[in-house]
């Protein structure tokens, strides 16, 4: 159960930045001095890391959607054979029992799967936010399934 405590706004921003996949060096440059303990607890949290890795994969797919799809379609590539995806993150997710790589997939199907996985695991990180934060609002910012596809 969450506790109703005073939380610095910077801690909320740090948590959201971690979850949406902001690069580690940027996180540490911006937040390490004021939120070192929080960052260490986020790094140690499997549920937070699952959401982070899924969001990073989805963001990469957003940014390289056509390029990824063309490689899959014409060169029979997959996410693990494309240099712009973080292969270590994919391997970690799969070692935790979260299937990422599928045969004969295209970008659109991967996007749907990544959205479904984020929706499946997102509620596990609700405990990272204080009671006074409206969880459904936080969740809707970046984590909800994208219906525009």
């Amino acid at each position: 159960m969450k506790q109703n405590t005073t939380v610095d706004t910077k801690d909320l921003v740090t948590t959201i930045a971690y979850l949406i996949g902001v690069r580690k060096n940027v996180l540490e440059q911006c937040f390490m001095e004021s939120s070192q303990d929080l960052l260490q607890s986020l790094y140690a949290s499997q549920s937070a890391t699952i959401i982070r890795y899924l969001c990073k994969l989805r963001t990469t797919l957003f940014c390289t959607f056509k390029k990824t799809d063309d490689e899959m379609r014409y060169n029979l590539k997959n996410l693990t054979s494309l240099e712009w995806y973080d292969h270590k993150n994919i391997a970690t997710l799969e070692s935790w029992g979260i299937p990422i790589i599928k045969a004969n997939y295209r970008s659109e199907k991967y996007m749907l799967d990544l959205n479904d996985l984020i929706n499946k695991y997102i509620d596990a990180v609700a405990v990272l936010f204080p009671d006074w934060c409206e969880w459904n609002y936080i969740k809707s910012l970046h984590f909800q399934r994208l219906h525009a596809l």
Side-chain angles (χ1 to χ4, degrees):
M1 186 159 133
K2 296 190 281 185
Q3 294 181 8
N4 194 4
T5 60
T6 303
V7 175
D8 188 345
T9 305
K10 200 164 195 171
D11 288 346
L12 293 175
V13 173
T14 302
T15 302
I16 291 172
Y18 180 81
L19 293 174
I20 65 173
V22 171
R23 287 191 321 253
K24 186 175 180 179
N25 66 322
V26 174
L27 280 174
E28 291 180 354
Q29 180 181 4
C30 295
F31 303 114
M32 185 57 89
E33 186 176 313
S34 61
S35 302
Q36 182 174 3
D37 291 342
L38 174 60
L39 276 176
Q40 294 307 317
S41 70
L42 290 169
Y43 294 152
S45 169
Q46 184 174 347
S47 58
T49 302
I50 287 169
I51 294 301
R52 176 179 173 77
Y53 289 177
L54 291 171
C55 285
K56 283 175 62 179
L57 285 170
R58 184 176 68 177
T59 299
T60 302
L61 184 55
F62 268 134
C63 294
T64 62
F65 191 87
K66 183 172 179 0
K67 185 176 170 182
T68 296
D69 200 58
D70 287 348
E71 287 294 323
M72 290 175 173
R73 184 174 184 189
Y74 299 117
N75 298 322
L76 303 175
K77 300 279 185 168
N78 210 321
L79 302 183
T80 54
S81 59
L82 297 171
E83 65 189 33
W84 47 90
Y85 289 93
D86 191 323
H87 305 147
K88 289 180 184 177
N89 290 177
I90 294 170
T92 299
L93 288 168
E94 292 198 331
S95 75
W96 288 340
I98 302 168
I100 302 296
I101 302 303
K102 308 282 177 50
N104 302 317
Y105 256 42
R106 300 274 302 273
S107 290
E108 183 177 359
K109 185 65 174 140
Y110 269 122
M111 187 64 74
L112 293 172
D113 280 5
L114 289 170
N115 284 327
D116 287 343
L117 287 169
I118 290 169
N119 284 329
K120 179 178 178 179
Y121 290 96
I122 191 63
D123 286 325
V125 299
V127 298
L128 299 174
F129 297 92
D131 284 340
W132 57 265
C133 281
E134 180 60 42
W135 170 241
N136 287 328
Y137 173 73
I138 299 284
K139 189 169 140 175
S140 72
L141 290 174
H142 289 285
F143 308 114
Q144 290 286 40
R145 181 183 178 108
L146 301 172
H147 298 288
L149 294 175

